[in-house]
Each structure stands twice: as structure tokens, then as C-alpha cells.
Amino acid sequence: MSKPFPPRAGGFLALVMIVLLTFPATQPLHAKTLSTTAPTLAPFEAAPLSIGVSWYPEQWPESQWEADLALMRRAGVSVVRLGEFAWARLEPRDGEFDFGWIDRAVALAGRHGIRVVLGTPTAAPPVWLTEAHPDVLRVNEDGSVEGHGERRQFSFASATYRRYTVRIAGEMARRYGRNPDVVGWQIDNEIGVPSFDREAKARWARWLTARYGTVEELNRRWTTDYWSQRYQRFDQVPLKSKGPQNPALLLDFKRFASFLWAEYVDEQAAAIRTHADRRQFVTTNSTAWNNNFDQYLVHRGLDLAAWDDYVPNGRPDWTANALHHDVVRGYRQRNFWIMETQPGRVDWGALNRSLDPGQTRELAWQAVGRGADAILYWQWRSALNGQEQYHGTLVGPDGQPMPVFDEIARTAREMAAMSRWLKDTQPEKAEVALLYSQESRWAIEAERHSRDYDPVATITDWYRPFADDGYRVDVLPPDADLAGYRLVVAPNLNILSGDTAERLKAYVERGGHLVLGPRSGMKDGDNALWPMRQPGPLGTSLGGRVGYYYPLDGPVAMSAIFGDTTAHIWGEVLEPVADDTKVLGRFGSDQGWLSGQPALLRRKVGRGSIAYLGAILDQQGQGRFTRWMITEAAVPRPLMTPVDGVEFMTRARGAERFIIAVNHGETAKRISLPAGAGWLHSDDVQGDMLRPHGVALAHVKHGTR
Ligand code: GAL
């Protein structure tokens, strides 16, 4: 048992708190810029393909652990995640640590050949902590305060809470940082919910000070003469996440929340790395399309990304799920982990249908095809009580297998067999990049202008035809290095800073093909309108601009170089201004302001081109538009001929490639391998037919194209 720390709220701590809250830190906090450029991290030990589970030994008598672990081995489980909600057991009293039970759990797992990912338990503070320091509790935007018994009831801005989190993370790392059975660390669990407490407000004022320097500068960039918003001091600026509010404030709120979460994660990562071997990775697990913070920023200092892949209604939209894998792979531009997924069903949706037989395995192989190196199921066994009694598990409360157990065991056997082939492979680099700008998403979500305009749906619409035709797509932040991509699409790049515009221009001039979607180039980095109309600083390259725009309440006919189609949700009247800017699509007649007006412009620039589409197209039209883009940019055909309902993915190591085929449909599908390819795993292939819900892997020898 070690000494209590920090000292219980005494005079010294109070003084430190006052100093911290009143003065900007000596190292200006904005020095950590919002750049998404990843630092070079030392290599961690790459995992072979692994199947794992969340295991909560603290919820069971120790006498049952052995039987659970033995059964896990039977399921082919090779990694468990544990500890992420066990703070009350790890530190039963302030500064008194009890690692005995977790020592034994880690050692026992090791004896069964199961490796461990340790979660820092900071998503669930013990009651003694929040009782002694009620100021660490999370305050909602409406002023209500979270209490004990739930989780995530802490403020991300609380310096006191941070000190406790760093201490427990550091103590755990001191104990397990060199433990050969521990392969990595997960910081907290699904971070993201902001707090609006007193300390958060003080941090907000400091963050604004660091960003703007003078309040006059903020007033200018935010145009605060609108509605007499003019501020005299930074601490007058309200901490708000939703409108009606100044768009610059709303975007800055997201940046501020991103900054605090990145700092929260970085502090724990630093505490861990002080003691841990570099072979242990450090990550955090994120939720799908988590909109609370900038994922690129939070992942900047982590070794790998990890996400929790759930299909609450049990009806997978395979392409949307593929996109999400590609989005997460983009956070670090490398392989990732599925830290949680469902063994059959969840318990938190409106209607928690189970996946059908075979689909749990399909989900796993889809994830691997898209870059996951490990798939962990949440959870092994349901606690007898607690909030999640209805969730899917591998074994029942009796410790005996549930129906999905065998399917997961089969998947684990296959992964073990395929590991030697797929080790050190990554999804093959794409020829197409899709820019996912979280800032643009936030800007549009704050001012949708149409209830039907959903920026994530637009991104998904643009992604879908590429994926359905078997084209690989890398999803990247707007400031990513675009060298080597033949085609870059930016579905709704609403926020376009001058810097990003310059980089995109350079990309095009060097021979790249850039296609912008509606609402692009409307705002600068302060979420202020560009005075020169859309696409703002890219207007001169395009030789055109958006003359007028408005949301649509029904389909509008459109005719384009790729065929006739309909626009819906959004329409923009485009105006070519340069002689060599081509009009390649027009809205039909009798369509209000859109009648007969240009809807698609394109101009050749340098060795490349830039195009702008001023509409959201129906699915068929988007498909044809996509094929047109592919032809214009001369994107090479995919290795496998597309088959409806079958997803083909490639992982590569140098010139060697591996095809993963997953039949998501209810009927067998005919597939043919390219010349030079041979099956590695074909239990689900009969003749040349891939069974319904079947999975198969093939190897393509060097140099085959
Ligand atoms: C996740 C969470 C887990 C568990 C799971 C149930 O979002 O991280 O702790 O609650 O959902 O689906």
C-alpha cells in the first residue's frame, strides 16, 4: 500500500488549483497545435491476428477464473482486455493500491497462453474519489451534475481528476509495463462526453487566450458586432456546444473539447510510457463516427487506433461498416484493432436483434480485410448484476457456451491458421483518397440548412459506389499527404483553410484529379464565410463558383456527361468564369432557380483537373458519376471482378497480396481468382461458388496484376 496522493484538498492543493485556473500554463497550451501530423513513434510489437474478449475477473469469484480461461482457450481466445472499469478494486482507498487480484488474473491468463491488454480504469471513478472531490463530477450543459452508479461521471477538465488518472495509470504501468503477458494499454474507455463545469469554463478562457492572443482579435474573427456579441474579456465568452450561437464559437468549442481530450489521453499515455516497454502499444477505443472530438488529433500520440464496432439492430450495412473501418485506419494510417464487437447482439439499441448465424464471422473477416489485426468481443460472460444483463456474450451466466461460441471459435481457428500469411500485411494502399474533414462535419451539423442534409450520409453516399465496385479508398484528413493518389474526392469540404487550398492546388498541378462535392469551400478556418463565394480559395483554380444554393424538398432532374439523374436534398447553381472551365452537367428546366443551370464544372489545371458537383445525387446517379471519375482519373481496375454482395479486400506485404472474400448474401456466388492466385483457405468454396455468408482467402504471388 503506498502513500495517499494527492494530499486531501488542503491549503497547498487549493493554492495550486487557484494558480492553475488563474494563469495560463508556463508552457503555452496552444503550443500543442491542432496539426494532425503524426510523430514518429517507436515500434510496438505487431500482433498476429488475434481473437479476444473483454474479461472482468473482478466480477467473479477467483475459483471460477480457471474454468473461464480454459474455455476461452477452447474458443481460440488469445487476448483479453481487462481492468477498464475496475478502479474501485484497484485503488480501494485513496492511494492504497490492491494489485494482488489483477496480478493473479494476468498470470493465470498468461499460463493459458492468453495475452492481456490493460485498460486504465478512469472511465469509472470510485465513490471515495467523487465524494472527497465533488468538483471532479461532470456537469452537463443544462447545469445538472452526474452522480455515482453510472460511468463517465467525471469532468475532462478537472485537474484533480487528471492527477488521479495519471497516478493510477502510472502505478499500473510501473507494475505491468515490463510484464511479458501484457501486450498493450487502452486508455480510459470510449472518451468523449464534455463537461461544462467551472474548471472547464476557466480552461476555455485560457484556450481562447492562447488561440487569439487578444480579445479584439477574437471579436474581429468571430464578427461579434453581430447581435452585440462583442466581448471585453475572454472569460465572458460562454462555453456552449450548441446554438443558437456564433458559428465560430461552436467550431471552437469542438476544437477546445478535442484539445482537452487529446491532453487527457496524452497525460495517461506519458504516465504509462514512463514505465512501459515500447513493445507494449498504447491506444484508446473510440465509438463509430464519434463526433465529440477530433479523432486525428487524439490519435496523434497513440500507437494504434482501436474502435468498437457494433450493429445494434443486427442488420449490418456492410458498406457503411467498411467505410468506418477505413475511417479508423485513417486516424494513424496504419492497421488498427477492433477493441469491442458484439457476440451476436447488443443491449443498448432500440431493438437489439441478433446478427444471423455466420454474420459474426463475416464481421470479423471484414475487419481484418480492412486492416484490423485483432477482434475482441464484448464480453466473455455477463455479470450477474449491473446494467448490461441482456448483452450478447460467448458464455452464459452459467459459464457454458452460448450458440455463437462455436462460430467465434471457428473464426479464431481460421485466424490462427491465416496469421502466418497475413502477419505484417496491411490493406493495400488505395488509388483513391476520400477527405474526411471533421471540422466541415461540425460546421455543417451546426447549420444544416436542411433537416435532410447529413454530412456523414453524404460521405457514405460518395464512398458506397467505389466500395461496391471493389475500389479501395483511403479516408484521410484534409491536411494529409496526397502524393500518389490518382483521385481525391471531398464530398462536403465546407471548411477550407487557405493552407489546405494551397495543398490541394499543388496536388492538382502535379497531376492529381480533385473532385469537390456540394457545400465545399464555403468557410475559412474560423467558420466565417469566404467573401469570394464557394469554393473560396479554390475558385480561381476551378475557374468557377457557386452563384446560388438552397435545399431541395423533392427530386430535381439533372443531365450530365455521365447520364441523366436526379438531384435531391441540395442544389447549387454553378457559374463558370474561366473560358476553359467546362460545364459537364445541368439541372433540368422548370426547376426554380436551378432551371437549366450548371450543376457540374470541370477544369484541367496543370497536369491534373479539378471538378465541382453542386448537388447530392440519387444512388444510381452517384454510381455513374463515380464511374466517370474513375475513368477520368484513370484509376486502375481492381484485382477482383466485382460480384454483387461479395466484398473483396486485399492486404499486402511488398509485392505479395492476399485476397479476402466475404459473401454477405443469402445465396452462393461465383467468383474467379485472377491469374497467378491460389486459395489459402477455401472451406466455403465449392467449385467456384462461395457459400452464403462464406469467407475465403487467396494468395497472389509476386508481381501479378
Ligand atoms: C461499449 C462499452 C462497453 C460496453 C459495450 C456494450 O460502448 O465500451 O463497456 O458497454 O458498449 O455494447
Side-chain angles (χ1 to χ4, degrees):
M1 302 275 178
S2 13
K3 280 185 257 112
F5 168 87
R8 286 174 211 283
F12 173 70
L13 180 59
L15 181 68
V16 170
M17 293 284 297
I18 290 165
V19 171
L20 279 173
L21 291 174
T22 317
F23 302 106
T26 12
Q27 267 257 322
L29 287 165
H30 67 286
K32 282 196 196 175
T33 63
L34 289 176
S35 152
T36 56
T37 319
T40 316
L41 298 168
F44 56 92
E45 191 179 65
L49 296 182
S50 311
I51 287 287
V53 293
S54 287
W55 179 43
Y56 299 99
E58 69 275 22
Q59 297 169 1
W60 296 95
E62 279 194 42
S63 55
Q64 297 208 13
W65 293 359
E66 180 76 49
D68 271 325
L69 287 162
L71 204 49
M72 281 182 209
R73 278 313 289 167
R74 232 180 75 198
V77 164
S78 58
V79 56
V80 288
R81 183 191 64 177
L82 55 90
E84 84 276 9
F85 296 116
W87 201 345
R89 287 287 301 274
L90 290 167
E91 190 179 356
R93 275 166 296 281
D94 193 345
E96 292 181 11
F97 299 99
D98 177 6
F99 290 116
W101 67 272
I102 195 166
D103 284 351
R104 294 190 291 281
V106 171
L108 200 59
R111 279 210 289 285
H112 283 270
I114 295 178
R115 300 170 312 152
V116 173
V117 173
L118 282 176
T120 68
T122 51
V127 72
W128 57 255
L129 196 166
T130 50
E131 190 181 46
H133 304 285
D135 57 323
V136 308
L137 286 171
R138 177 158 61 80
V139 176
N140 297 311
E141 198 157 2
D142 64 5
S144 57
V145 182
E146 290 294 319
H148 198 73
E150 239 288 0
R151 54 181 171 178
R152 309 189 180 108
Q153 68 270 34
F154 65 89
S155 164
F156 66 162
S158 164
T160 305
Y161 195 69
R162 297 275 192 93
R163 278 196 291 278
Y164 278 102
T165 63
V166 163
R167 185 176 66 178
I168 186 72
E171 289 294 327
M172 288 174 77
R174 193 198 300 277
R175 201 156 182 107
Y176 303 108
R178 304 203 175 270
N179 186 315
D181 293 324
V182 175
V183 288
W185 297 84
Q186 173 190 299
I187 292 171
D188 205 279
N189 188 79
E190 294 186 344
I191 57 166
V193 190
S195 181
F196 298 81
D197 58 288
R198 193 179 53 84
E199 240 175 305
K201 285 182 184 144
R203 291 296 310 265
W204 170 234
R206 272 168 59 190
W207 186 86
L208 290 170
T209 309
R211 181 170 171 84
Y212 294 99
T214 64
V215 78
E216 242 341 286
E217 177 70 0
L218 178 146
N219 282 318
R220 186 183 66 76
R221 283 161 61 182
W222 289 21
T223 323
T224 55
D225 281 327
Y226 194 85
W227 288 356
S228 263
Q229 288 167 42
R230 180 164 283 280
Y231 298 103
Q232 297 151 318
R233 297 187 317 275
F234 286 109
D235 63 6
Q236 293 170 330
V237 182
L239 181 61
K240 289 277 184 195
S241 79
K242 13 186 199 294
Q245 260 300 342
N246 189 305
L249 181 150
L250 294 177
L251 183 57
D252 271 354
F253 171 81
K254 291 289 193 189
R255 290 177 172 142
F256 165 68
S258 305
F259 172 77
L260 281 194
W261 279 123
E263 195 185 60
Y264 177 90
V265 165
D266 285 353
E267 284 174 7
Q268 288 198 41
I272 292 168
R273 288 189 178 127
T274 305
H275 304 290
D277 283 347
R278 285 304 296 139
R279 69 175 174 79
Q280 294 181 340
F281 64 76
V282 181
T283 188
T284 190
N285 58 335
S286 60
T287 50
W289 292 112
N290 185 329
N291 201 16
N292 289 311
F293 56 83
D294 180 338
Q295 296 280 2
Y296 300 110
L297 181 72
V298 165
H299 283 88
R300 185 197 47 181
L302 297 174
D303 297 302
L304 54 78
W307 79 285
D308 300 344
D309 185 5
Y310 288 111
V311 186
N313 67 3
R315 301 271 185 206
D317 175 342
W318 293 105
T319 310
N321 206 56
L323 168 58
H324 210 279
H325 290 307
D326 289 353
V327 167
V328 175
R329 194 176 69 249
Y331 297 163
R332 296 283 313 155
Q333 289 162 50
R334 60 167 70 150
N335 287 8
F336 56 93
W337 277 35
I338 297 298
M339 200 54 94
E340 297 180 16
T341 188
Q342 68 204 60
R345 59 163 204 270
V346 303
D347 69 341
W348 44 264
L351 190 159
N352 302 292
R353 184 183 183 276
S354 178
L355 294 168
D356 282 331
Q359 289 186 322
T360 302
R361 173 171 170 256
E362 278 175 81
L363 263 186
W365 277 110
Q366 181 191 44
V368 170
R370 302 227 162 239
D373 284 336
I375 318 285
L376 278 73
Y377 291 91
W378 198 95
Q379 61 172 329
W380 170 248
R381 179 175 181 177
S382 173
L384 296 181
N385 224 318
Q387 277 92 322
E388 299 177 293
Q389 294 165 309
Y390 281 76
H391 204 280
T393 53
L394 276 83
V395 296
D398 56 357
Q400 295 308 308
M402 298 295 277
V404 76
F405 183 99
D406 287 343
E407 185 175 323
I408 293 174
R410 175 183 181 192
T411 312
R413 280 196 302 278
E414 292 170 335
M415 295 225 173
M418 290 298 110
S419 261
R420 88 186 164 90
W421 294 100
L422 293 182
K423 192 169 174 355
D424 299 328
T425 61
Q426 297 184 345
E428 197 179 356
K429 187 176 176 233
E431 315 266 1
V432 179
L434 184 154
L435 301 185
Y436 170 42
S437 155
Q438 285 197 248
E439 297 196 337
S440 296
R441 177 181 168 195
W442 291 329
I444 291 174
E445 283 177 348
E447 295 176 278
R448 281 178 190 250
H449 205 53
S450 161
R451 59 170 185 261
D452 300 330
Y453 200 110
D454 173 351
V456 170
T458 311
I459 292 170
T460 312
D461 285 352
W462 278 58
Y463 174 86
R464 209 176 275 284
F466 286 108
D468 290 350
D469 281 352
Y471 288 92
R472 299 182 308 281
V473 176
D474 288 340
V475 181
L476 301 173
D479 64 353
D481 179 4
L482 299 174
Y485 290 100
R486 283 178 192 253
L487 173 64
V488 172
V489 298
N492 26 225
L493 191 58
N494 194 241
I495 300 276
L496 178 63
S497 68
D499 283 355
T500 302
E502 285 310 314
R503 294 161 61 87
L504 291 175
K505 272 188 215 169
Y507 162 75
V508 164
E509 262 150 29
R510 283 197 302 265
H513 296 277
L514 172 68
V515 182
L516 300 167
R519 299 179 83 153
S520 290
M522 184 185 194
K523 309 275 198 75
D524 69 9
D526 291 317
N527 210 0
L529 295 172
W530 278 112
M532 62 285 228
R533 307 256 189 119
Q534 290 167 250
L538 284 177
T540 45
S541 302
L542 176 68
R545 59 181 208 160
V546 175
Y548 191 49
Y549 63 83
Y550 55 99
L552 309 177
D553 60 1
V556 164
M558 189 181 143
S559 147
I561 188 159
F562 50 83
D564 290 344
T565 178
T566 55
H568 61 143
I569 300 177
W570 197 263
E572 292 175 340
V573 173
L574 306 185
E575 299 172 353
V577 294
D579 293 345
D580 55 344
T581 300
K582 300 261 183 309
V583 175
L584 298 183
R586 285 185 187 274
F587 295 105
S589 51
D590 299 328
Q591 312 286 351
W593 294 98
L594 304 176
S595 296
Q597 296 297 319
L600 175 64
L601 299 181
R602 180 168 189 249
R603 188 182 191 207
K604 295 214 156 111
V605 180
R607 287 184 293 124
S609 72
I610 171 167
Y612 189 106
L613 174 72
I616 293 186
L617 304 180
D618 64 26
Q619 214 184 320
Q620 258 198 354
Q622 186 68 29
R624 288 199 215 120
F625 174 54
T626 306
R627 284 189 279 281
W628 173 78
M629 290 190 274
I630 286 169
T631 310
E632 289 297 308
V635 178
R637 292 164 70 83
L639 191 58
M640 296 292 289
T641 314
V643 175
D644 192 32
V646 179
E647 185 173 355
F648 295 111
M649 296 158 283
T650 3
R651 286 180 60 143
R653 180 178 45 229
E656 212 177 354
R657 280 176 296 162
F658 299 87
I659 298 165
I660 297 171
V662 183
N663 182 357
H664 297 306
E666 297 296 333
T667 54
K669 292 287 164 63
R670 172 161 291 112
I671 51 176
S672 49
L673 288 180
W679 291 116
L680 290 175
H681 179 70
S682 57
D683 292 358
D684 290 342
V685 183
Q686 274 171 334
D688 54 0
M689 301 298 280
L690 180 60
R691 281 198 196 117
H693 302 296
V695 173
L697 276 87
H699 181 207
V700 189
K701 293 185 196 71
H702 292 249
T704 317
R705 248 276 178 223

